[in-house]
Amino acid sequence: MAFVDNTSTDDETGTISQSQEEDEGLQEKIINEEYKTWKKNAPFLYDLVLSLTAQWFPDKQSNPDNNFSQHRLLIGTHTANSLPNYLQIAHVQLPNPARPDVRDYDDERGEIGGYGASGAGGKEAAPVKFEIVQKIDHPGEVNKARYMPQNPNLIASLCVDGRVLIWDRTKHSLEPDGVLKPQIELRGHEREGYGLSWSSHSKGHLVTGNEDNTVKLWDITQCSKADKVLAPSRTFTHHEASVNDVHYHPFHPSLVGSVSDDCNLHILDLREDSPVKSALQVEAHDEAINALAFSPASEFVLATGSADKSIGLFDLRNIKKKLHALEAHNESVTGLSWHPFEEAILASSSYDRRVIFWDLSKIGTEQMPDDIEDGPPELMFMHGGHTNRVSDFTWNPNVPWVVASTAEDNLVQIWQVSNSIVGKEVDDVEMDELETPGADADDGDADAEKPARVAGAGGRTRADQEKQASEGRKSGETREDEDEDEDVQMGEADATEENSTGRATNGDTKTDGAAEAKQ
């Protein structure tokens, strides 16, 4: 029979405290070990100011004489101790993918090509480089920042005091001067917020969600030169708690989705007059809902991320019934984003320090007993590089499977999933594609004309990926010759900075396309 001592002593209290310290120490050790494991394939460290938000710009600069391309990243600082904060734009240099060559086969990684292999045209692969090229003074921490899709030079940022500020990047110098000069100030929210979405259908329209329980619509085309302060065009009070995320529907201009701490998912129809009633509503989770994402491939499918650690999939045609729940995170799900090229791939971030890729086409796939221990069949990949809560992440719209993610530990990481995970397995590659060039003089020339099928996303050829990326890039590029918009009353300029050449920073060729930043 077990003996239970119900007396309370100082020694017992000290033992409990010691046990708690040991548990915390063990947890920290586990985190550090996971980080070290990830860093084995990502030998890059860059200094960068803490950022809670990140978004890739749609443009890309390529030079046929170089074996890399240059991309731009929007970030916002989140400093402490009353240090100044900035909206920042960074240049990121990424190596060009090379046509897979059997001579680049890596036994340890079990893959051909990808980052870390020989560069395009036989050149040595270019290193990943990161450089801040523009800083704009910002009043306090940047909760979130997003550019307007019709003109990426216009950026909206959420302030901790509830204001939403609109910035025209071309109106600001590359270096901060200590003076706050937003082009437009949107006033109406009473508390801070994290929900922000531009309309892809109506230029200058955006929606915000806030801790004051409201959703507000804004139209910056109504701002005049004489008065730069703008009130919301509409306010909705259909939620009973903090509104954590909002999004315009990618297909229907009049639909807006919102999620809240009240556990409800709402779909607003902007054609309706009621400020308190939504068109569709469902209690989607048992705990607070933090994130929402409409599928860019299906007008009916959307996903929600919750503090209950799960992701819900819904069909707008029968929103009361959850299609499926994705479960693998260990803490609250805080972010969701669909892959820009692969319609079945959804990514999620969490307070558990991870970013997970889900392949919805694998839902329901039968698993072997050993595979069940690794998670559900739709769990495709888990990024464990962060040592703190992931606050935001963004897919690169030009390079498949490249992601930038931010966390609350001063780190911004830029990484790419290994080709062995997202591409065809080496065992599935046809033998003629694995033959060493020149081994067969009769077939060598013919094989040289074949598009590479190794290290492709979703089994597609590399040529297919580059063609699709190019088409997506063309649709999102800013126009150099675009005329001044009289409604928005802000100048537009080329989407690239005046200083377009990135300075060399400490870096080297990586094996899995992962990089991270800290300052």
Side-chain angles (χ1 to χ4, degrees):
M1 181 179 65
F3 175 77
V4 180
D5 184 0
N6 291 321
T7 60
S8 177
T9 66
D10 291 340
D11 290 341
E12 181 178 324
T13 303
T15 301
I16 294 175
S17 177
Q18 181 179 358
S19 177
Q20 291 175 342
E21 292 178 358
E22 291 176 352
D23 290 342
E24 292 175 357
L26 178 61
Q27 179 65 18
E28 184 176 351
K29 182 178 180 180
I30 293 174
I31 292 174
N32 289 334
E33 287 301 319
E34 290 179 351
Y35 175 75
K36 290 177 181 178
T37 299
W38 176 79
K39 280 292 291 179
K40 288 180 181 179
N41 290 326
F44 296 97
L45 186 62
Y46 295 99
D47 289 332
L48 180 70
V49 171
L50 168 63
S51 176
L52 287 182
T53 183
Q55 184 184 24
W56 290 105
F57 283 93
D59 51 273
K60 168 186 173 183
Q61 283 189 335
S62 299
N63 188 325
D65 296 329
N66 296 325
N67 58 342
F68 62 86
S69 58
Q70 185 171 271
H71 308 253
R72 297 190 303 140
L73 186 66
L74 171 65
I75 54 179
T77 64
H78 189 82
T79 61
N81 301 323
S82 300
L83 294 174
N85 283 276
Y86 308 101
L87 270 179
Q88 297 186 132
I89 296 174
H91 280 173
V92 181
Q93 174 182 299
L94 297 177
N96 292 335
R99 185 183 189 278
D101 190 319
V102 69
R103 290 169 294 191
D104 288 329
Y105 180 74
D106 188 307
D107 287 317
E108 182 178 349
R109 288 186 289 136
E111 65 180 49
I112 298 176
Y115 291 159
S118 59
K123 300 179 181 178
E124 181 180 354
V128 173
K129 294 183 179 180
F130 189 103
E131 180 191 14
I132 300 296
V133 296
Q134 186 173 17
K135 289 184 178 182
I136 301 174
D137 291 291
H138 193 274
E141 300 163 349
V142 183
N143 282 352
K144 197 168 190 176
R146 293 291 186 265
Y147 61 77
M148 188 171 78
Q150 296 86 352
N151 176 14
N153 286 323
L154 298 186
I155 300 168
S157 66
L158 299 181
C159 303
V160 293
D161 60 6
R163 287 180 297 166
V164 184
L165 302 180
I166 308 298
W167 311 82
D168 183 345
R169 183 197 65 78
T170 65
K171 304 293 184 182
H172 297 265
S173 60
L174 299 182
E175 294 296 329
D177 56 12
V179 181
L180 301 175
K181 296 177 290 186
Q183 273 55 59
I184 302 176
E185 184 176 321
L186 310 183
R187 292 184 185 176
H189 284 301
E190 299 175 358
R191 303 178 65 180
E192 69 177 322
Y194 295 88
L196 170 64
S197 174
W198 287 94
S199 171
S200 60
H201 307 280
S202 302
K203 188 173 183 178
H205 290 233
L206 66 157
V207 59
T208 55
N210 192 273
E211 291 182 357
D212 62 12
N213 304 354
T214 68
V215 172
K216 296 184 184 293
L217 298 180
W218 314 83
D219 180 4
I220 65 173
T221 65
Q222 300 304 308
C223 186
S224 65
K225 290 184 177 181
D227 189 0
K228 296 299 183 180
V229 177
L230 191 65
S233 57
R234 295 185 67 179
T235 297
F236 297 90
T237 57
H238 52 289
H239 281 292
E240 297 178 355
S242 173
V243 181
N244 298 320
D245 200 10
V246 289
H247 278 284
Y248 275 97
H249 196 285
F251 294 96
H252 302 286
S254 61
L255 298 185
V256 170
S258 62
V259 292
S260 165
D261 279 354
D262 62 15
C263 305
N264 284 289
L265 159 67
H266 286 262
I267 304 297
L268 292 167
D269 188 337
L270 305 183
R271 295 168 296 186
E272 301 293 333
D273 295 329
S274 175
V276 298
K277 185 178 180 181
S278 59
L280 296 173
Q281 175 187 358
V282 62
E283 187 172 332
H285 294 267
D286 295 329
E287 297 185 41
I289 310 176
N290 301 315
L292 163 73
F294 288 105
S295 168
S298 170
E299 63 180 298
F300 303 115
V301 178
L302 72 152
T304 55
S306 171
D308 66 10
K309 309 174 187 178
S310 75
I311 299 160
L313 299 177
F314 294 88
D315 189 320
L316 291 178
R317 293 168 294 187
N318 187 11
I319 200 170
K320 296 296 183 181
K321 183 179 180 180
K322 186 180 295 185
L323 297 176
H324 188 71
L326 305 174
E327 298 177 336
H329 282 294
N330 297 321
E331 292 190 37
S332 177
V333 179
T334 56
L336 294 171
S337 182
W338 295 86
H339 195 290
F341 308 129
E342 304 288 339
E343 63 182 46
I345 306 300
L346 175 69
S348 60
S349 61
S350 168
Y351 280 167
D352 65 8
R353 304 173 286 105
R354 290 168 171 79
V355 177
I356 292 180
F357 292 173
W358 308 87
D359 185 351
L360 305 190
S361 68
K362 301 296 184 181
I363 292 177
T365 301
E366 186 176 353
Q367 291 179 287
M368 299 297 289
D370 292 342
D371 295 332
I372 295 177
E373 298 178 0
D374 296 330
E378 60 269 22
L379 197 163
M380 179 183 188
F381 170 78
M382 183 180 293
H383 174 67
H386 287 288
T387 60
N388 211 310
R389 294 176 172 182
V390 179
S391 56
D392 199 6
F393 69 94
T394 172
W395 295 97
N396 188 301
N398 296 293
V399 185
W401 303 102
V402 170
V403 174
S405 53
T406 66
E408 298 176 6
D409 58 357
N410 295 10
L411 293 180
V412 175
Q413 296 179 353
I414 299 170
W415 45 279
Q416 183 186 43
V417 184
S418 171
N419 290 321
S420 62
I421 296 174
V422 300
K424 291 180 64 177
E425 297 291 342
V426 173
D427 292 342
D428 295 336
V429 179
E430 289 77 10
M431 288 303 298
D432 61 348
E433 295 182 14
L434 287 176
E435 291 178 354
T436 303
D440 189 332
D442 293 334
D443 297 333
D445 292 339
D447 288 344
E449 297 300 321
K450 294 180 181 179
R453 299 196 64 87
V454 185
R460 296 176 302 152
T461 66
R462 175 68 71 180
D464 292 336
Q465 294 177 57
E466 292 179 345
K467 179 180 179 181
Q468 187 169 11
S470 177
E471 292 173 351
R473 181 168 64 252
K474 289 178 181 178
S475 64
E477 288 177 343
T478 51
R479 295 168 293 173
E480 295 183 9
D481 58 348
E482 187 171 7
D483 296 332
E484 181 178 358
D485 188 336
E486 295 181 356
D487 292 331
V488 181
Q489 309 234 355
M490 294 183 187
E492 298 185 3
D494 184 17
T496 59
E497 277 73 27
E498 291 82 347
N499 179 9
S500 60
T501 304
R503 269 197 319 272
T505 57
N506 293 331
D508 201 351
T509 305
K510 12 184 235 288
T511 56
D512 72 340
E516 67 179 77
K518 179 178 180 182
Q519 184 164 336

mmCIF file of all heavy atoms in Angstrom, residues 248-286:
data_model
loop_
_atom_site.group_PDB
_atom_site.id
_atom_site.type_symbol
_atom_site.label_atom_id
_atom_site.label_comp_id
_atom_site.label_asym_id
_atom_site.label_seq_id
_atom_site.Cartn_x
_atom_site.Cartn_y
_atom_site.Cartn_z
ATOM 1 N N TYR A 248 -10.477 38.704 -47.548
ATOM 2 C CA TYR A 248 -11.377 38.786 -48.692
ATOM 3 C C TYR A 248 -11.368 37.437 -49.406
ATOM 4 O O TYR A 248 -10.342 36.748 -49.459
ATOM 5 C CB TYR A 248 -10.900 39.861 -49.675
ATOM 6 C CG TYR A 248 -11.353 41.260 -49.351
ATOM 7 C CD1 TYR A 248 -10.505 42.139 -48.665
ATOM 8 C CD2 TYR A 248 -12.606 41.726 -49.738
ATOM 9 C CE1 TYR A 248 -10.904 43.435 -48.379
ATOM 10 C CE2 TYR A 248 -13.005 43.014 -49.469
ATOM 11 C CZ TYR A 248 -12.163 43.872 -48.783
ATOM 12 O OH TYR A 248 -12.560 45.142 -48.496
ATOM 13 N N HIS A 249 -12.518 37.084 -49.975
ATOM 14 C CA HIS A 249 -12.597 35.858 -50.753
ATOM 15 C C HIS A 249 -11.865 36.059 -52.075
ATOM 16 O O HIS A 249 -12.011 37.099 -52.715
ATOM 17 C CB HIS A 249 -14.065 35.490 -51.014
ATOM 18 C CG HIS A 249 -14.274 34.085 -51.469
ATOM 19 N ND1 HIS A 249 -13.966 33.668 -52.751
ATOM 20 C CD2 HIS A 249 -14.746 32.986 -50.818
ATOM 21 C CE1 HIS A 249 -14.246 32.382 -52.869
ATOM 22 N NE2 HIS A 249 -14.722 31.937 -51.715
ATOM 23 N N PRO A 250 -11.043 35.082 -52.512
ATOM 24 C CA PRO A 250 -10.261 35.274 -53.744
ATOM 25 C C PRO A 250 -11.098 35.265 -55.020
ATOM 26 O O PRO A 250 -10.630 35.744 -56.054
ATOM 27 C CB PRO A 250 -9.287 34.092 -53.721
ATOM 28 C CG PRO A 250 -9.965 33.049 -52.898
ATOM 29 C CD PRO A 250 -10.734 33.809 -51.853
ATOM 30 N N PHE A 251 -12.324 34.727 -54.976
ATOM 31 C CA PHE A 251 -13.158 34.644 -56.169
ATOM 32 C C PHE A 251 -14.334 35.618 -56.153
ATOM 33 O O PHE A 251 -14.726 36.127 -57.194
ATOM 34 C CB PHE A 251 -13.707 33.219 -56.343
ATOM 35 C CG PHE A 251 -12.661 32.193 -56.623
ATOM 36 C CD1 PHE A 251 -12.126 31.422 -55.596
ATOM 37 C CD2 PHE A 251 -12.185 31.985 -57.910
ATOM 38 C CE1 PHE A 251 -11.160 30.465 -55.845
ATOM 39 C CE2 PHE A 251 -11.218 31.030 -58.176
ATOM 40 C CZ PHE A 251 -10.699 30.275 -57.143
ATOM 41 N N HIS A 252 -14.893 35.869 -54.975
ATOM 42 C CA HIS A 252 -16.109 36.675 -54.861
ATOM 43 C C HIS A 252 -15.812 37.997 -54.145
ATOM 44 O O HIS A 252 -15.549 38.007 -52.938
ATOM 45 C CB HIS A 252 -17.193 35.899 -54.118
ATOM 46 C CG HIS A 252 -17.548 34.593 -54.773
ATOM 47 N ND1 HIS A 252 -18.282 34.534 -55.931
ATOM 48 C CD2 HIS A 252 -17.249 33.309 -54.429
ATOM 49 C CE1 HIS A 252 -18.436 33.261 -56.285
ATOM 50 N NE2 HIS A 252 -17.815 32.498 -55.397
ATOM 51 N N PRO A 253 -15.858 39.110 -54.843
ATOM 52 C CA PRO A 253 -15.475 40.407 -54.264
ATOM 53 C C PRO A 253 -16.325 40.829 -53.069
ATOM 54 O O PRO A 253 -15.851 41.595 -52.226
ATOM 55 C CB PRO A 253 -15.672 41.391 -55.429
ATOM 56 C CG PRO A 253 -15.663 40.549 -56.662
ATOM 57 C CD PRO A 253 -16.216 39.228 -56.275
ATOM 58 N N SER A 254 -17.550 40.340 -52.977
ATOM 59 C CA SER A 254 -18.460 40.789 -51.921
ATOM 60 C C SER A 254 -18.374 39.940 -50.659
ATOM 61 O O SER A 254 -19.072 40.228 -49.682
ATOM 62 C CB SER A 254 -19.902 40.782 -52.436
ATOM 63 O OG SER A 254 -20.285 39.474 -52.816
ATOM 64 N N LEU A 255 -17.550 38.904 -50.637
ATOM 65 C CA LEU A 255 -17.473 38.021 -49.474
ATOM 66 C C LEU A 255 -16.193 38.266 -48.677
ATOM 67 O O LEU A 255 -15.109 38.402 -49.239
ATOM 68 C CB LEU A 255 -17.532 36.558 -49.902
ATOM 69 C CG LEU A 255 -18.803 36.083 -50.610
ATOM 70 C CD1 LEU A 255 -18.745 34.577 -50.866
ATOM 71 C CD2 LEU A 255 -20.054 36.450 -49.817
ATOM 72 N N VAL A 256 -16.360 38.322 -47.339
ATOM 73 C CA VAL A 256 -15.237 38.488 -46.416
ATOM 74 C C VAL A 256 -15.394 37.472 -45.295
ATOM 75 O O VAL A 256 -16.485 37.320 -44.735
ATOM 76 C CB VAL A 256 -15.189 39.908 -45.822
ATOM 77 C CG1 VAL A 256 -14.178 39.995 -44.680
ATOM 78 C CG2 VAL A 256 -14.848 40.927 -46.898
ATOM 79 N N GLY A 257 -14.325 36.777 -44.964
ATOM 80 C CA GLY A 257 -14.348 35.831 -43.857
ATOM 81 C C GLY A 257 -13.682 36.416 -42.631
ATOM 82 O O GLY A 257 -12.729 37.193 -42.735
ATOM 83 N N SER A 258 -14.188 36.043 -41.451
ATOM 84 C CA SER A 258 -13.591 36.518 -40.202
ATOM 85 C C SER A 258 -13.688 35.422 -39.148
ATOM 86 O O SER A 258 -14.639 34.636 -39.135
ATOM 87 C CB SER A 258 -14.294 37.786 -39.697
ATOM 88 O OG SER A 258 -15.663 37.534 -39.402
ATOM 89 N N VAL A 259 -12.680 35.351 -38.266
ATOM 90 C CA VAL A 259 -12.650 34.382 -37.174
ATOM 91 C C VAL A 259 -12.279 35.100 -35.885
ATOM 92 O O VAL A 259 -11.632 36.147 -35.906
ATOM 93 C CB VAL A 259 -11.660 33.238 -37.450
ATOM 94 C CG1 VAL A 259 -12.150 32.372 -38.600
ATOM 95 C CG2 VAL A 259 -10.266 33.779 -37.741
ATOM 96 N N SER A 260 -12.660 34.492 -34.753
ATOM 97 C CA SER A 260 -12.598 35.232 -33.502
ATOM 98 C C SER A 260 -12.342 34.326 -32.304
ATOM 99 O O SER A 260 -12.437 33.090 -32.394
ATOM 100 C CB SER A 260 -13.925 35.987 -33.309
ATOM 101 O OG SER A 260 -14.097 36.455 -31.995
ATOM 102 N N ASP A 261 -12.053 34.974 -31.184
ATOM 103 C CA ASP A 261 -11.949 34.268 -29.907
ATOM 104 C C ASP A 261 -13.279 33.670 -29.475
ATOM 105 O O ASP A 261 -13.309 32.836 -28.563
ATOM 106 C CB ASP A 261 -11.453 35.230 -28.813
ATOM 107 C CG ASP A 261 -9.939 35.414 -28.844
ATOM 108 O OD1 ASP A 261 -9.273 34.719 -29.634
ATOM 109 O OD2 ASP A 261 -9.429 36.256 -28.082
ATOM 110 N N ASP A 262 -14.374 34.085 -30.101
ATOM 111 C CA ASP A 262 -15.687 33.533 -29.747
ATOM 112 C C ASP A 262 -15.940 32.170 -30.392
ATOM 113 O O ASP A 262 -17.062 31.648 -30.316
ATOM 114 C CB ASP A 262 -16.807 34.516 -30.096
ATOM 115 C CG ASP A 262 -16.896 34.814 -31.595
ATOM 116 O OD1 ASP A 262 -16.301 34.077 -32.399
ATOM 117 O OD2 ASP A 262 -17.580 35.795 -31.953
ATOM 118 N N CYS A 263 -14.892 31.617 -31.042
ATOM 119 C CA CYS A 263 -14.926 30.274 -31.649
ATOM 120 C C CYS A 263 -15.746 30.207 -32.927
ATOM 121 O O CYS A 263 -15.986 29.101 -33.449
ATOM 122 C CB CYS A 263 -15.463 29.226 -30.667
ATOM 123 S SG CYS A 263 -14.586 29.160 -29.092
ATOM 124 N N ASN A 264 -16.162 31.338 -33.447
ATOM 125 C CA ASN A 264 -17.020 31.355 -34.618
ATOM 126 C C ASN A 264 -16.300 31.793 -35.882
ATOM 127 O O ASN A 264 -15.440 32.678 -35.854
ATOM 128 C CB ASN A 264 -18.216 32.277 -34.392
ATOM 129 C CG ASN A 264 -19.262 31.653 -33.487
ATOM 130 O OD1 ASN A 264 -19.959 30.721 -33.880
ATOM 131 N ND2 ASN A 264 -19.362 32.157 -32.273
ATOM 132 N N LEU A 265 -16.691 31.149 -36.984
ATOM 133 C CA LEU A 265 -16.301 31.548 -38.330
ATOM 134 C C LEU A 265 -17.502 32.218 -38.973
ATOM 135 O O LEU A 265 -18.599 31.655 -38.983
ATOM 136 C CB LEU A 265 -15.881 30.321 -39.143
ATOM 137 C CG LEU A 265 -15.912 30.445 -40.674
ATOM 138 C CD1 LEU A 265 -14.863 31.436 -41.158
ATOM 139 C CD2 LEU A 265 -15.700 29.075 -41.323
ATOM 140 N N HIS A 266 -17.308 33.430 -39.482
ATOM 141 C CA HIS A 266 -18.379 34.170 -40.151
ATOM 142 C C HIS A 266 -17.977 34.471 -41.592
ATOM 143 O O HIS A 266 -16.808 34.745 -41.874
ATOM 144 C CB HIS A 266 -18.661 35.498 -39.444
ATOM 145 C CG HIS A 266 -19.398 35.362 -38.142
ATOM 146 N ND1 HIS A 266 -20.755 35.531 -38.043
ATOM 147 C CD2 HIS A 266 -18.949 35.082 -36.896
ATOM 148 C CE1 HIS A 266 -21.123 35.362 -36.778
ATOM 149 N NE2 HIS A 266 -20.038 35.088 -36.057
ATOM 150 N N ILE A 267 -18.962 34.445 -42.483
ATOM 151 C CA ILE A 267 -18.784 34.888 -43.855
ATOM 152 C C ILE A 267 -19.720 36.071 -44.082
ATOM 153 O O ILE A 267 -20.950 35.928 -44.009
ATOM 154 C CB ILE A 267 -19.099 33.778 -44.875
ATOM 155 C CG1 ILE A 267 -18.243 32.538 -44.592
ATOM 156 C CG2 ILE A 267 -18.858 34.289 -46.295
ATOM 157 C CD1 ILE A 267 -16.765 32.745 -44.724
ATOM 158 N N LEU A 268 -19.126 37.244 -44.292
ATOM 159 C CA LEU A 268 -19.906 38.459 -44.528
ATOM 160 C C LEU A 268 -20.200 38.604 -46.018
ATOM 161 O O LEU A 268 -19.336 38.354 -46.858
ATOM 162 C CB LEU A 268 -19.142 39.696 -44.055
ATOM 163 C CG LEU A 268 -18.918 39.861 -42.549
ATOM 164 C CD1 LEU A 268 -17.894 40.959 -42.302
ATOM 165 C CD2 LEU A 268 -20.226 40.176 -41.843
ATOM 166 N N ASP A 269 -21.413 39.024 -46.330
ATOM 167 C CA ASP A 269 -21.771 39.401 -47.696
ATOM 168 C C ASP A 269 -21.915 40.918 -47.704
ATOM 169 O O ASP A 269 -22.865 41.474 -47.120
ATOM 170 C CB ASP A 269 -23.084 38.733 -48.114
ATOM 171 C CG ASP A 269 -23.385 38.935 -49.598
ATOM 172 O OD1 ASP A 269 -22.862 39.905 -50.185
ATOM 173 O OD2 ASP A 269 -24.141 38.129 -50.168
ATOM 174 N N LEU A 270 -20.980 41.605 -48.334
ATOM 175 C CA LEU A 270 -20.946 43.061 -48.289
ATOM 176 C C LEU A 270 -22.116 43.704 -49.028
ATOM 177 O O LEU A 270 -22.330 44.911 -48.907
ATOM 178 C CB LEU A 270 -19.618 43.573 -48.868
ATOM 179 C CG LEU A 270 -18.350 43.008 -48.212
ATOM 180 C CD1 LEU A 270 -17.114 43.648 -48.824
ATOM 181 C CD2 LEU A 270 -18.377 43.213 -46.703
ATOM 182 N N ARG A 271 -22.887 42.913 -49.742
ATOM 183 C CA ARG A 271 -24.078 43.446 -50.416
ATOM 184 C C ARG A 271 -25.242 43.601 -49.451
ATOM 185 O O ARG A 271 -26.222 44.285 -49.762
ATOM 186 C CB ARG A 271 -24.472 42.520 -51.570
ATOM 187 C CG ARG A 271 -23.427 42.455 -52.690
ATOM 188 C CD ARG A 271 -23.707 41.334 -53.656
ATOM 189 N NE ARG A 271 -23.618 40.020 -53.009
ATOM 190 C CZ ARG A 271 -23.713 38.868 -53.651
ATOM 191 N NH1 ARG A 271 -23.909 38.855 -54.974
ATOM 192 N NH2 ARG A 271 -23.609 37.714 -52.987
ATOM 193 N N GLU A 272 -25.119 42.976 -48.277
ATOM 194 C CA GLU A 272 -26.161 43.089 -47.258
ATOM 195 C C GLU A 272 -25.903 44.320 -46.387
ATOM 196 O O GLU A 272 -24.763 44.727 -46.182
ATOM 197 C CB GLU A 272 -26.196 41.827 -46.389
ATOM 198 C CG GLU A 272 -26.455 40.546 -47.170
ATOM 199 C CD GLU A 272 -27.857 40.516 -47.766
ATOM 200 O OE1 GLU A 272 -28.766 41.153 -47.206
ATOM 201 O OE2 GLU A 272 -28.043 39.856 -48.811
ATOM 202 N N ASP A 273 -26.971 44.906 -45.874
ATOM 203 C CA ASP A 273 -26.871 46.149 -45.110
ATOM 204 C C ASP A 273 -26.590 45.944 -43.628
ATOM 205 O O ASP A 273 -26.105 46.859 -42.954
ATOM 206 C CB ASP A 273 -28.154 46.969 -45.268
ATOM 207 C CG ASP A 273 -28.376 47.438 -46.696
ATOM 208 O OD1 ASP A 273 -27.366 47.657 -47.388
ATOM 209 O OD2 ASP A 273 -29.546 47.568 -47.105
ATOM 210 N N SER A 274 -26.919 44.779 -43.086
ATOM 211 C CA SER A 274 -26.824 44.575 -41.637
ATOM 212 C C SER A 274 -25.382 44.579 -41.147
ATOM 213 O O SER A 274 -24.533 43.854 -41.687
ATOM 214 C CB SER A 274 -27.481 43.244 -41.253
ATOM 215 O OG SER A 274 -27.292 42.995 -39.867
ATOM 216 N N PRO A 275 -25.082 45.383 -40.102
ATOM 217 C CA PRO A 275 -23.734 45.387 -39.529
ATOM 218 C C PRO A 275 -23.544 44.339 -38.438
ATOM 219 O O PRO A 275 -22.444 44.189 -37.906
ATOM 220 C CB PRO A 275 -23.625 46.797 -38.942
ATOM 221 C CG PRO A 275 -25.021 47.107 -38.509
ATOM 222 C CD PRO A 275 -25.930 46.459 -39.516
ATOM 223 N N VAL A 276 -24.613 43.621 -38.083
ATOM 224 C CA VAL A 276 -24.550 42.686 -36.959
ATOM 225 C C VAL A 276 -24.795 41.239 -37.374
ATOM 226 O O VAL A 276 -24.585 40.327 -36.565
ATOM 227 C CB VAL A 276 -25.570 43.065 -35.870
ATOM 228 C CG1 VAL A 276 -25.255 44.439 -35.300
ATOM 229 C CG2 VAL A 276 -26.994 43.030 -36.400
ATOM 230 N N LYS A 277 -25.207 41.012 -38.590
ATOM 231 C CA LYS A 277 -25.540 39.657 -39.024
ATOM 232 C C LYS A 277 -24.735 39.287 -40.260
ATOM 233 O O LYS A 277 -24.666 40.051 -41.219
ATOM 234 C CB LYS A 277 -27.036 39.539 -39.320
ATOM 235 C CG LYS A 277 -27.483 38.130 -39.658
ATOM 236 C CD LYS A 277 -28.979 38.080 -39.903
ATOM 237 C CE LYS A 277 -29.431 36.658 -40.248
ATOM 238 N NZ LYS A 277 -30.893 36.602 -40.502
ATOM 239 N N SER A 278 -24.137 38.093 -40.224
ATOM 240 C CA SER A 278 -23.365 37.612 -41.360
ATOM 241 C C SER A 278 -24.205 36.673 -42.220
ATOM 242 O O SER A 278 -25.260 36.186 -41.793
ATOM 243 C CB SER A 278 -22.109 36.884 -40.877
ATOM 244 O OG SER A 278 -22.456 35.787 -40.049
ATOM 245 N N ALA A 279 -23.721 36.404 -43.425
ATOM 246 C CA ALA A 279 -24.447 35.516 -44.332
ATOM 247 C C ALA A 279 -24.333 34.066 -43.897
ATOM 248 O O ALA A 279 -25.294 33.296 -44.025
ATOM 249 C CB ALA A 279 -23.918 35.687 -45.754
ATOM 250 N N LEU A 280 -23.154 33.672 -43.395
ATOM 251 C CA LEU A 280 -22.925 32.316 -42.921
ATOM 252 C C LEU A 280 -22.206 32.375 -41.581
ATOM 253 O O LEU A 280 -21.363 33.247 -41.350
ATOM 254 C CB LEU A 280 -22.074 31.520 -43.921
ATOM 255 C CG LEU A 280 -22.668 31.260 -45.309
ATOM 256 C CD1 LEU A 280 -21.626 30.605 -46.213
ATOM 257 C CD2 LEU A 280 -23.921 30.399 -45.222
ATOM 258 N N GLN A 281 -22.527 31.434 -40.713
ATOM 259 C CA GLN A 281 -21.887 31.388 -39.402
ATOM 260 C C GLN A 281 -21.836 29.950 -38.911
ATOM 261 O O GLN A 281 -22.767 29.178 -39.103
ATOM 262 C CB GLN A 281 -22.666 32.235 -38.380
ATOM 263 C CG GLN A 281 -22.123 32.132 -36.957
ATOM 264 C CD GLN A 281 -23.001 32.842 -35.944
ATOM 265 O OE1 GLN A 281 -24.005 33.454 -36.300
ATOM 266 N NE2 GLN A 281 -22.646 32.755 -34.673
ATOM 267 N N VAL A 282 -20.717 29.594 -38.288
ATOM 268 C CA VAL A 282 -20.592 28.272 -37.684
ATOM 269 C C VAL A 282 -19.620 28.355 -36.514
ATOM 270 O O VAL A 282 -18.631 29.083 -36.574
ATOM 271 C CB VAL A 282 -20.096 27.228 -38.712
ATOM 272 C CG1 VAL A 282 -18.709 27.583 -39.235
ATOM 273 C CG2 VAL A 282 -20.091 25.831 -38.113
ATOM 274 N N GLU A 283 -19.942 27.645 -35.443
ATOM 275 C CA GLU A 283 -18.996 27.502 -34.342
ATOM 276 C C GLU A 283 -18.008 26.434 -34.774
ATOM 277 O O GLU A 283 -18.250 25.232 -34.636
ATOM 278 C CB GLU A 283 -19.710 27.100 -33.055
ATOM 279 C CG GLU A 283 -18.793 27.114 -31.844
ATOM 280 C CD GLU A 283 -19.538 26.894 -30.537
ATOM 281 O OE1 GLU A 283 -20.731 27.238 -30.469
ATOM 282 O OE2 GLU A 283 -18.912 26.370 -29.590
ATOM 283 N N ALA A 284 -16.886 26.882 -35.310
ATOM 284 C CA ALA A 284 -15.973 25.990 -36.031
ATOM 285 C C ALA A 284 -15.048 25.197 -35.122
ATOM 286 O O ALA A 284 -14.559 24.129 -35.520
ATOM 287 C CB ALA A 284 -15.146 26.807 -37.025
ATOM 288 N N HIS A 285 -14.779 25.699 -33.929
ATOM 289 C CA HIS A 285 -13.867 25.029 -33.000
ATOM 290 C C HIS A 285 -14.366 25.182 -31.575
ATOM 291 O O HIS A 285 -15.272 25.995 -31.301
ATOM 292 C CB HIS A 285 -12.455 25.616 -33.117
ATOM 293 C CG HIS A 285 -11.790 25.353 -34.432
ATOM 294 N ND1 HIS A 285 -10.971 24.277 -34.663
ATOM 295 C CD2 HIS A 285 -11.825 26.050 -35.606
ATOM 296 C CE1 HIS A 285 -10.523 24.309 -35.901
ATOM 297 N NE2 HIS A 285 -11.037 25.381 -36.496
ATOM 298 N N ASP A 286 -13.759 24.425 -30.668
ATOM 299 C CA ASP A 286 -14.117 24.497 -29.255
ATOM 300 C C ASP A 286 -13.353 25.598 -28.529
ATOM 301 O O ASP A 286 -13.715 25.971 -27.413
ATOM 302 C CB ASP A 286 -13.844 23.157 -28.569
ATOM 303 C CG ASP A 286 -14.732 22.039 -29.103
ATOM 304 O OD1 ASP A 286 -15.870 22.348 -29.516
ATOM 305 O OD2 ASP A 286 -14.290 20.873 -29.112
#
